[in-house]
Amino acid sequence: MGPGLPPALVLVVLSTGLAVATESLSNPSYKPPSVARANTRNVYYLAEEKIELDCIAEGSPEPIYRWFKNGVQLNLSTPENKARMTLQSNVGTLVIDQARTTDEGTYQCVAENNFGKSLSIKRNVQLARMDPFPTTVIQTKRALLGRSEILTCTPPNSIPKAKISWIIVSEGDMDYRDEDSDEGFNFVNLDNRITMDWKGNLYITNVKQEDGQDGDKYVCMANNKIVRSFNQGEDKILEPFGKPADEPVSLLWHSDLKVLGLVGKTAKFKCIFAGNPQAKIVWRRKGKELNSRMKQSKDIFDFEIKRVKYEDAGEYVCEGSNSAHDKVIRKTFVLTVEARPKWVVEPKDLIKGVEENAEFSCEAKGSPEPTVQWYINGNQIELEPDNPRRKLVGNKLIFTNLSKTDSDVIQCNATNKNGFIWADFFLHVLAIPANVDREPLPRLKVAEGQTITLTCQSSGKPKPTVVWFKGTQPLTGDRHVVQDNGDLLIKNVNHKDTGNYKCYARNRFGKDEANGTLTVRKKTKIDSVPLDLELIYGNEATFTCGAITDPLETLEYIWLRDGVRIEEDDPRVSINDGTLTIIDINSKDTANYTCMASNGLDNATATAKLQVKAPPDPPYNVSLRHCYANDALLKWQFDKNQENFSPLQGFIVEYNTSFNPDNWVTGARPSADSREAKIKLSLWVRYNFRVKAINEIGVGKPSAINPSECKTPQGQPDRHPRKVQTVGDKTNFLVVEWETMPQIEHNAPDFFYNISVREKDGNAVMNLVETDFTVGRKEIFINKTYKPYYIIVRAQNIVGQPDNKAQEILGYSGEAAPTVVPSNFELDPDKNVTATSAGFRWDPVNTSTEFMQGEYKGYKIRYWKKDQKETTMHEVFIPDSVKEDSRRKRRQTADNKMRAEVRNLPSYAEIESDVVVVNNYFSSEGSNIVNFSTPEGVPSAVEYLDALYRGSTHFLLEWGEPKEPNGNVTGYKVGYKKIQGLEIGELEVSKTVTKRRVFLGNLTPDTAYRVYVWGLTQEGQGEEYYIDVRTAEHTSDLVRPIIDEVRAAATSVKVTWQIPDIEGRPVGALSFLQYRQLTKNDWESVPEEEHEDFWQEIEGLKEATPYQVRVVTKTGQFGTESYQEAASDPRTFTTTGVAAKKANVLSAGWFIGMMVAIAILLLILIIVCIIKRNRGDKYHVQEKERLRGSNPDDGQDHFNDDENGVGQSNSFENNPEKMPLEYDETDSMEDYGDVDPGKFNEDGSFIGQYGVQKSPEPANASAMSTLV
């Protein structure tokens, strides 16, 4: 007794030991015999060949085999049997050599050992043979055409039954080739006119001339595959004669009218009808419809019901009819359905322990009800000695309180008139001690809340009892259930279940035990579930899932799509622990997504649904229901779940043709509830079709192309070419044009255009052909200008021309330039020349066809800038009829002058103009040229407008010059409107400037604006130019300036910088310089400026001193939330000059004396100069004037009159008020935004070097100026 055995088991163990003395233990390897089932019940053999009857049985000890023939045991030791009959070694298979006729009989094998007898099924062994046909003479039969004929056949006796067929044999054909094969025979073809009954007779239901077979013989042939023989007999020759006549239908033969069908088998019926025309045979079932298992054969005579069921019982009718007579012949068959025996519960081998019970069931069903017979060791149970522990109750054999002596082999046979079934099985009673075959796991770790199983599968006879303990505590109750196989089931485990478990298995012959440890961890829980999503395709879907688990375990996340694990091989899918992201989603992503959190012991799941709104999926099963000459009917299928969560709006049916397979054309647009469409077709075209579905999201992908191509027949074209006309653009030619016809309208091969031409006043017809269907123009040389012709263009193909008549049109040959020229072209004295318009007049011309050489259409006034005719010429058409529009007016007045006004002339320009007369295609020579000038106008729009930099509250704008100044540009006006959604606010004019760059401030952060620029002249405001631009977000850091150049002087420095263009980052509104001596820490600042020009100067510096300088940019008010500041990296420089001498030099006496002497000398010189001037001394300039003949002292103005006496302008020197601005002494660089002209480069392009350049700018009044 082991140390872990509880006291409660002591009594059980003692009693078990006593019981062992009363029953000896069994050898578990022993068992009764069991014969394997034979494959076939009927065995055929040939004389002198070998017969082999298998019999293989299992059992221990090894079974002994015996064979019975016709119920009598075969004695294999007699001399006669010993010579021919043997058993194969180690098995009971019987081998009979040199088989004889006397070997026929019913054989059965018996396998026997100490525990019983097992019997095989009985097998019928028969000698295969086939008798010859009786000898007959060749029979010749004359058959009237259209009537029926029967060729009889009496098959010979055959075991097994021979297969009967009919062949055609030519005269002298005696070699029928390999006797093992039916290849090479010319078999009579059985069809819906020629058939056989089930006895082998041949029926020709409607004799035709070809049934004579050119005199060859009809031969009945029997084939027995076992004996490998083809026997022939009853040769017949058929001679058709006469003329076919109509014959009413008649019934020649039918199978038995009472048919027995067995469940699961095939029931067959046959009716043979004759008639001319050929009889039509229909099979039907009285009172019910035929189902899919009931089919008429292809030759129409046979009817079969496969896999017969009880409900198939009833009446079946064959009906024969033909068109020669209204008569219908019917024959009714009655099907009765029965069944061979079939196991309901098939008996199985049982291995039991002593004192246990056993029960065998032999339940079979069938029709009629089968009878059951029980056998023990091959003997009827009724003949066996009584056994008080065995009783038969109905179809059950029951054993109680088994003993080892009850081991037997039992047989059961269920029989009815349609067959039998046989079962051979054993009862094996053992006495084996208890044993634990499968112990608990040494260490089992699980999560709480689960139902788990601790294994303790045991064996033994009788069946052991299993008891479980946790520690020393026996386990009972609802949560602990011991299974039949000994395993312990624990429901809803928790942390208290952690511990050591032991199982004890015992029976009366022994006991065994095993143990294992159980550890319970906290369960995994989802604490943040993913949410359902409904998104439009192309977007990103993100599911987030969170879970908690036992801290001693590692948590892992797995994502499933409709129950299948998602792998990250799809580049659109990414998984980051509990987050699943799918980018660029499409309809195929619609699914249920499950988050599974697992720690290896258990898992928790949560599921969310993704619905992707997308264009519909393609329709399927697209099929062509009919394809006619002019239309086709297409059908398809489309399911609700293919709509992709957006209501279906309809379908698009498309087709392509063999002429242009890559071009898909819409053929129909059916509604959403349609699943078919009719499409109009053209002749001589091969079509393919496909279907697309439409919903609110868009058009889905196309379906697969319909599998069958639609091909239409040939025909003549449906119409002639349209839009036939003549074109007069080629002199001396008649040019005919028409709208070409695509291949889909040709309707047949060899398509061409037939062009007929006839002069209006003549009778001769010219016919021309154009075979290239893509050409819609024919040029015919006729050497006549603008003459009328009748033209017809017809379509034609290999079939012919369209049924409708082609339309005849009247056209004209080509035009030429008019021979007349307008004269006396001049400005209209009644019209003022404005900045954009002028009036003209001229003498009209003769507009007859002769002079116009075509159809008179009107005049064209041409104008251009002087000396720029090739590049600036414009033409204004003045039509024949009196019309008005925004550009021109023409009228003929009482003075017989043509008058017209031309608008949109270039302003502030010298213009030349003339006039020509025109027909449809040509213009005359130009008239005399008129010269005139237009006054100043307003400018056109500027060439461009750009926001160089965007701050959160400002823009730095730059623009180009007006494309057409139309005068002297005096400046520009800048304004803006705020954009809020789809609405645009009121215009706010910010500034009027003279330069083309401006700082626009006081704007709102992250706001869209529409910014405008207008050019200005003395005449007013020009055309607008605008851009839409958004201020930067205030939250972004300012872009740091970058210093480009530092130019140091003795006491000053000039610094230039730039602002990098970084997308999404704002720039400051104001920029300024900070500097400090290299030896100091604090920065000093210069005044802030709007940084339009990106440079600044620092003055008042010390000579020859090192400094640092940096650029600071800022926006907003200091101390507010909006304030931002950014500084560049500092740059180090040193001012020029020489360092000052020591202070003691300046205070030296000799230095002071020298400076006083120099001052006295200068004072004397000044006094002398004043005295000399008062005395009238002249300067050298005066002397030079006198040598030229001018007297500077003469007060008369010599510029008042020229030599012709015409007054001139006063001298600029004497009248400063009239000095030109370019010589105004007050004009300085400050007016252009510069404090010091030295800030510019030699070409004056300082800003162009350090700012954003758009175009070269002249240094004139439009140059940049500073506006604050």
Side-chain angles (χ1 to χ4, degrees):
M1 183 169 60
L5 187 65
L9 291 180
V10 174
L11 183 60
V12 175
V13 173
L14 292 175
S15 62
T16 302
L18 294 174
V20 170
T22 63
E23 187 84 58
S24 63
L25 295 178
S26 302
N27 187 338
S29 63
Y30 287 165
K31 69 175 182 178
S34 176
V35 175
R37 292 184 180 178
N39 294 328
T40 58
R41 294 182 180 179
N42 294 315
V43 179
Y44 301 100
Y45 69 93
L46 297 176
E48 300 301 321
E49 292 190 358
K50 182 189 294 183
I51 303 173
E52 191 170 295
L53 303 177
D54 60 291
C55 181
I56 301 173
E58 293 181 349
S60 179
E62 191 71 27
I64 297 172
Y65 296 93
R66 292 181 293 148
W67 279 89
F68 290 80
K69 176 184 177 184
N70 298 329
V72 178
Q73 182 176 346
L74 277 174
N75 186 355
L76 301 182
S77 60
T78 63
E80 181 181 357
N81 291 339
K82 188 175 182 179
R84 295 189 307 114
M85 299 181 183
T86 58
L87 294 180
Q88 290 182 351
S89 61
N90 300 323
V91 294
T93 299
L94 176 65
V95 178
I96 304 175
D97 291 320
Q98 298 176 356
R100 304 170 183 173
T101 304
T102 56
D103 291 328
E104 286 187 311
T106 300
Y107 289 76
Q108 187 175 32
C109 174
V110 176
E112 181 179 2
N113 67 10
N114 296 336
F115 299 98
K117 300 177 182 178
S118 178
L119 282 68
S120 71
I121 62 170
K122 295 179 180 179
R123 278 173 281 184
N124 297 318
V125 179
Q126 292 179 282
L127 176 66
R129 53 187 177 273
M130 182 170 64
D131 298 339
F133 278 93
T135 303
T136 59
V137 297
I138 297 176
Q139 182 181 3
T140 300
K141 302 188 70 173
R142 300 193 71 214
L144 185 62
L145 292 174
R147 292 194 177 178
S148 61
E149 190 63 51
I150 302 174
L151 304 182
T152 59
C153 178
T154 305
N157 294 326
S158 176
I159 298 176
K161 186 178 180 180
K163 177 184 176 182
I164 306 300
S165 57
W166 286 81
I167 59 175
I168 304 297
V169 179
S170 301
E171 186 67 29
D173 188 1
M174 300 299 293
D175 183 8
Y176 294 114
R177 298 167 180 80
D178 186 356
E179 65 176 1
D180 293 331
S181 173
D182 58 7
E183 293 183 1
F185 291 110
N186 182 15
F187 288 96
V188 174
N189 184 34
L190 303 180
D191 53 24
N192 61 357
R193 191 174 62 86
I194 303 175
T195 188
M196 290 171 54
D197 63 20
W198 295 348
K199 297 178 180 179
N201 300 314
L202 184 68
Y203 292 78
I204 304 175
T205 62
N206 182 345
V207 175
K208 297 184 178 298
Q209 192 64 48
E210 59 264 27
D211 295 332
Q213 302 293 341
D214 296 327
D216 290 341
K217 296 179 291 185
Y218 285 83
V219 177
C220 177
M221 183 174 70
N223 176 16
N224 184 324
K225 289 189 176 182
I226 301 299
V227 299
R228 301 183 291 276
S229 175
F230 296 90
N231 287 352
Q232 302 174 40
E234 303 191 29
D235 299 352
K236 294 177 174 60
I237 296 176
L238 191 65
E239 294 181 353
F241 72 97
K243 293 182 179 180
D246 288 346
E247 293 288 336
V249 69
S250 60
L251 180 62
L252 300 182
W253 182 87
H254 61 80
S255 58
D256 290 340
L257 298 180
K258 293 184 178 180
V259 180
L260 176 62
L262 296 180
V263 172
K265 303 297 182 181
T266 299
K268 297 183 178 181
F269 311 78
K270 188 161 189 170
C271 286
I272 302 177
F273 289 95
N276 188 28
Q278 185 66 39
K280 178 182 178 182
I281 303 175
V282 177
W283 288 87
R284 61 183 179 83
R285 182 180 183 184
K286 282 189 178 181
K288 293 184 180 180
E289 296 292 329
L290 300 179
N291 59 44
S292 60
R293 294 180 292 104
M294 304 172 179
K295 291 186 179 180
Q296 187 173 0
S297 63
K298 290 183 179 180
D299 63 7
I300 75 174
F301 299 106
D302 293 88
F303 179 73
E304 291 184 347
I305 304 175
K306 295 185 177 180
R307 302 182 302 280
V308 170
K309 299 181 179 180
Y310 284 112
E311 55 264 30
D312 295 334
E315 295 185 342
Y316 295 82
V317 180
C318 66
E319 296 179 349
S321 63
N322 67 5
S323 58
H325 199 277
D326 293 337
K327 179 182 178 182
V328 177
I329 298 179
R330 298 180 177 86
K331 204 54 131 176
T332 301
F333 298 80
V334 178
L335 174 64
T336 301
V337 178
E338 295 182 354
R340 293 174 178 170
K342 182 179 180 180
W343 292 118
V344 176
V345 179
E346 184 176 6
K348 301 293 182 182
D349 296 332
L350 285 181
I351 299 176
K352 291 289 186 178
V354 294
E355 298 180 352
E356 292 183 337
N357 300 329
E359 181 180 298
F360 295 95
S361 179
C362 189
E363 294 186 34
K365 64 179 180 179
S367 179
E369 186 72 23
T371 58
V372 175
Q373 177 63 57
W374 289 87
Y375 299 85
I376 294 181
N377 295 321
N379 300 320
Q380 289 186 17
I381 195 169
E382 293 83 2
L383 303 179
E384 283 292 293
D386 290 337
N387 183 346
R389 297 184 307 279
R390 182 187 69 214
K391 60 181 177 179
L392 191 59
V393 180
N395 290 329
K396 293 183 178 181
L397 183 61
I398 301 172
F399 293 84
T400 57
N401 193 23
L402 287 169
S403 169
K404 291 177 64 177
T405 59
D406 292 324
S407 293
D408 280 312
V409 179
I410 305 167
Q411 294 84 26
C412 173
N413 185 36
T415 307
N416 68 7
K417 68 173 187 176
N418 298 311
F420 71 93
I421 49 177
W422 171 267
D424 183 273
F425 45 94
F426 61 74
L427 171 62
H428 192 24
V429 182
L430 298 174
I432 301 174
N435 182 69
V436 176
D437 299 327
R438 185 179 177 190
E439 299 180 351
L441 293 175
R443 291 179 180 84
L444 177 62
K445 188 165 58 174
V446 299
E448 63 182 357
Q450 294 180 324
T451 296
I452 61 105
T453 298
L454 301 178
T455 57
C456 186
Q457 296 178 10
S458 58
S459 62
K461 297 298 179 183
K463 182 179 179 180
T465 300
V466 178
V467 179
W468 280 87
F469 288 83
K470 180 187 176 189
T472 59
Q473 181 69 30
L475 295 176
T476 59
D478 294 338
R479 289 199 312 117
H480 301 87
V481 180
V482 180
Q483 306 293 300
D484 288 342
N485 62 357
D487 293 346
L488 175 64
L489 184 73
I490 307 177
K491 301 176 183 178
N492 194 24
V493 295
N494 54 52
H495 287 287
K496 294 181 180 180
D497 293 321
T498 298
N500 185 55
Y501 289 77
K502 182 174 288 187
C503 70
Y504 297 92
R506 60 191 180 278
N507 65 10
R508 60 180 291 193
F509 300 109
K511 54 92 179 177
D512 198 4
E513 66 181 53
N515 60 51
T517 300
L518 174 65
T519 302
V520 181
R521 300 291 194 206
K522 289 183 180 180
K523 70 183 300 183
T524 304
K525 296 179 181 179
I526 300 289
D527 62 351
S528 177
V529 300
L531 302 178
D532 293 342
L533 297 177
E534 185 176 283
L535 301 172
I536 295 177
Y537 78 108
N539 287 322
E540 178 180 293
T542 300
F543 294 103
T544 302
C545 173
I548 56 175
T549 191
D550 193 292
L552 297 177
E553 303 298 330
T554 301
L555 192 63
E556 179 186 11
Y557 290 93
I558 297 172
W559 283 91
L560 310 175
R561 181 184 186 275
D562 287 339
V564 179
R565 182 168 180 171
I566 298 175
E567 303 294 343
E568 291 188 78
D569 53 357
D570 186 343
R572 298 184 305 114
V573 177
S574 63
I575 299 175
N576 184 12
D577 288 336
T579 301
L580 168 67
T581 302
I582 309 171
I583 63 173
D584 193 20
I585 58 175
N586 55 55
S587 62
K588 294 183 179 178
D589 294 319
T590 294
N592 290 321
Y593 290 84
T594 301
C595 166
M596 178 184 290
S598 173
N599 59 8
L601 305 177
D602 74 332
N603 62 70
T605 61
T607 300
K609 182 183 295 183
L610 172 61
Q611 294 182 346
V612 180
K613 286 188 173 183
D617 293 336
Y620 63 98
N621 285 348
V622 177
S623 61
L624 190 64
R625 291 307 172 93
H626 75 238
C627 174
Y628 298 149
N630 296 312
D631 66 77
L633 180 63
L634 197 70
K635 290 196 173 186
W636 61 90
Q637 289 181 273
F638 187 86
D639 301 330
K640 181 72 175 177
N641 59 6
Q642 294 180 273
E643 294 181 4
N644 291 333
F645 310 104
S646 178
L648 184 67
Q649 294 183 333
F651 296 94
I652 298 176
V653 178
E654 296 179 328
Y655 65 83
N656 71 354
T657 67
S658 52
F659 302 123
N660 194 356
D662 295 329
N663 182 36
W664 288 90
V665 181
T666 299
R669 286 182 172 270
S671 62
D673 56 354
S674 297
R675 296 297 182 269
E676 66 179 32
K678 184 175 285 188
I679 304 99
K680 291 184 178 179
L681 307 180
S682 296
L683 299 175
W684 194 57
V685 182
R686 296 200 306 271
Y687 290 90
N688 287 305
F689 301 95
R690 69 185 189 185
V691 185
K692 297 177 181 176
I694 314 169
N695 63 13
E696 292 179 350
I697 304 299
V699 180
K701 292 183 179 180
S703 67
I705 297 173
N706 64 295
S708 58
E709 188 180 60
C710 175
K711 184 177 181 181
T712 55
Q714 297 180 6
Q716 70 256 38
D718 294 324
R719 65 173 180 88
H720 294 287
R722 301 188 181 107
K723 297 183 181 179
V724 179
Q725 62 180 4
T726 56
V727 180
D729 59 352
K730 197 165 185 179
T731 306
N732 295 329
F733 282 81
L734 175 64
V735 180
V736 182
E737 289 186 351
W738 61 91
E739 186 183 70
T740 59
M741 296 174 61
Q743 280 184 294
I744 199 171
E745 295 187 67
H746 293 181
N747 292 0
D750 299 339
F751 178 86
F752 62 93
Y753 303 108
N754 190 331
I755 304 103
S756 298
V757 176
R758 175 173 60 88
E759 196 168 356
K760 182 179 180 182
D761 298 328
N763 295 321
V765 177
M766 185 187 310
N767 288 310
L768 302 101
V769 170
E770 178 55 66
T771 57
D772 187 349
F773 72 90
T774 63
V775 174
R777 179 182 172 106
K778 197 72 173 177
E779 298 179 356
I780 308 165
F781 180 74
I782 58 173
N783 201 24
K784 293 181 180 181
T785 302
Y786 201 63
K787 296 297 180 182
Y789 289 85
Y790 288 114
I791 301 106
I792 301 175
V793 180
R794 301 178 178 88
Q796 190 170 342
N797 61 23
I798 193 173
V799 178
Q801 294 185 2
D803 293 332
N804 58 316
K805 185 177 180 181
Q807 183 180 1
E808 185 179 61
I809 68 147
L810 178 65
Y812 290 84
S813 59
E815 298 181 350
T819 58
V820 291
V821 179
S823 59
N824 296 324
F825 181 64
E826 60 186 355
L827 289 172
D828 189 343
D830 298 331
K831 293 283 186 179
N832 292 328
V833 176
T834 70
T836 59
S837 68
F840 300 92
R841 69 179 184 178
W842 65 93
D843 293 337
V845 299
N846 188 335
T847 58
S848 65
T849 302
E850 179 183 357
F851 290 98
M852 296 305 300
Q853 296 202 93
E855 181 185 8
Y856 166 66
K857 300 301 290 184
Y859 297 88
K860 284 183 182 178
I861 294 177
R862 307 183 299 186
Y863 64 89
W864 58 91
K865 290 183 179 181
K866 188 176 181 179
D867 300 329
Q868 301 179 44
K869 184 175 181 178
E870 296 297 326
T871 58
T872 64
M873 189 174 75
H874 293 77
E875 294 181 341
V876 179
F877 177 61
I878 312 300
D880 176 23
S881 58
V882 178
K883 297 180 180 177
E884 294 186 3
D885 61 25
S886 61
R887 298 183 58 206
R888 58 199 180 267
K889 296 180 181 179
R890 181 196 62 85
R891 67 186 188 278
Q892 186 169 359
T893 57
D895 58 359
N896 199 29
K897 289 283 187 179
M898 304 298 296
R899 281 180 165 82
E901 182 180 11
V902 176
R903 300 176 184 176
N904 292 336
L905 295 173
S907 302
Y908 204 57
E910 293 186 19
I911 299 175
E912 295 180 337
S913 180
D914 67 1
V915 65
V916 296
V917 65
V918 297
N919 56 29
N920 284 307
Y921 298 96
F922 298 95
S923 302
S924 70
E925 294 293 329
S927 69
N928 58 294
I929 296 176
V930 174
N931 296 278
F932 62 99
S933 298
T934 53
E936 189 174 30
V938 297
S940 67
V942 298
E943 290 185 355
Y944 68 88
L945 171 61
D946 192 13
L948 299 181
Y949 295 110
R950 298 184 305 115
S952 59
T953 60
H954 65 276
F955 301 129
L956 179 60
L957 304 173
E958 182 183 84
W959 57 90
E961 295 179 340
K963 297 178 181 177
E964 296 289 343
N966 295 333
N968 292 321
V969 178
T970 60
Y972 299 91
K973 187 160 65 174
V974 181
Y976 62 88
K977 296 178 181 179
K978 185 180 289 187
I979 301 175
Q980 294 179 331
L982 299 176
E983 296 183 359
I984 299 178
E986 295 297 324
L987 177 66
E988 298 184 29
V989 177
S990 174
K991 298 179 180 181
T992 300
V993 297
T994 58
K995 61 177 183 176
R996 291 187 285 108
R997 179 182 288 184
V998 73
F999 177 88
L1000 194 62
N1002 296 324
L1003 305 178
T1004 305
D1006 193 24
T1007 302
Y1009 289 88
R1010 178 162 291 179
V1011 182
Y1012 297 83
V1013 171
W1014 298 267
L1016 303 174
T1017 63
Q1018 294 294 336
E1019 293 300 313
Q1021 179 177 301
E1023 296 179 32
E1024 68 181 27
Y1025 189 103
Y1026 68 84
I1027 59 172
D1028 292 341
V1029 61
R1030 177 179 288 272
T1031 52
E1033 294 184 20
H1034 179 66
T1035 55
S1036 302
D1037 294 335
L1038 293 181
V1039 177
R1040 296 179 62 198
I1042 298 175
I1043 296 177
D1044 279 333
E1045 187 175 12
V1046 177
R1047 292 184 181 181
T1051 60
S1052 64
V1053 66
K1054 298 165 187 168
V1055 181
T1056 60
W1057 66 89
Q1058 61 172 300
I1059 308 292
D1061 186 10
I1062 302 176
E1063 184 176 357
R1065 296 272 300 279
V1067 298
L1070 298 175
S1071 294
F1072 57 93
L1073 295 179
Q1074 289 184 335
Y1075 66 97
R1076 66 185 177 188
Q1077 290 186 27
L1078 196 59
T1079 58
K1080 297 183 179 180
N1081 293 326
D1082 295 334
W1083 292 92
E1084 296 184 47
S1085 300
V1086 298
E1088 303 168 352
E1089 294 184 3
E1090 295 173 348
H1091 57 77
E1092 299 173 15
D1093 301 322
F1094 306 108
W1095 68 268
Q1096 203 168 30
E1097 185 176 20
I1098 306 173
E1099 296 180 335
L1101 305 179
K1102 295 180 179 181
E1103 294 185 15
T1105 303
Y1107 285 88
Q1108 277 191 325
V1109 65
R1110 68 180 185 181
V1111 182
V1112 179
T1113 182
K1114 72 172 188 175
T1115 188
Q1117 295 296 322
F1118 182 77
T1120 66
E1121 235 182 80
S1122 62
Y1123 182 79
Q1124 285 183 291
E1125 183 178 283
S1128 69
D1129 294 330
R1131 289 275 290 271
T1132 302
F1133 69 93
T1134 302
T1135 54
T1136 61
V1138 180
K1141 294 182 178 180
K1142 293 183 179 180
N1144 59 356
V1145 175
L1146 297 177
S1147 60
W1150 64 266
F1151 178 76
I1152 296 173
M1154 183 182 68
M1155 295 303 293
V1156 170
I1158 293 172
I1160 293 172
L1161 290 174
L1162 289 174
L1163 179 61
I1164 294 170
L1165 180 62
I1166 292 171
I1167 293 170
V1168 172
C1169 290
I1170 293 172
I1171 293 171
K1172 287 180 69 68
R1173 182 174 180 85
N1174 291 336
R1175 290 179 178 180
D1177 289 348
K1178 308 298 180 182
Y1179 291 97
H1180 295 294
V1181 174
Q1182 292 173 320
E1183 187 65 29
K1184 289 181 180 180
E1185 292 293 337
R1186 188 177 291 109
L1187 291 174
R1188 286 178 169 180
S1190 300
N1191 186 2
D1193 295 330
D1194 191 350
Q1196 183 179 358
D1197 187 357
H1198 295 280
F1199 293 91
N1200 287 339
D1201 299 293
D1202 62 10
E1203 61 184 1
N1204 296 322
V1206 180
Q1208 299 293 320
S1209 300
N1210 290 331
S1211 170
F1212 294 133
E1213 295 178 7
N1214 295 331
N1215 190 354
E1217 295 296 326
K1218 295 183 179 180
M1219 288 182 67
L1221 288 175
E1222 54 265 41
Y1223 297 104
D1224 192 340
E1225 293 177 353
T1226 64
D1227 193 9
S1228 72
M1229 294 304 291
E1230 291 179 355
D1231 292 338
Y1232 297 91
D1234 297 302
V1235 176
D1236 186 351
K1239 296 171 186 174
F1240 284 82
N1241 292 338
E1242 292 179 357
D1243 60 355
S1245 60
F1246 177 84
I1247 298 303
Q1249 179 178 356
Y1250 299 109
V1252 177
Q1253 298 183 4
K1254 289 296 180 181
S1255 62
E1257 300 178 12
N1260 56 19
S1262 64
M1264 290 175 277
S1265 62
T1266 303
L1267 276 173
V1268 180

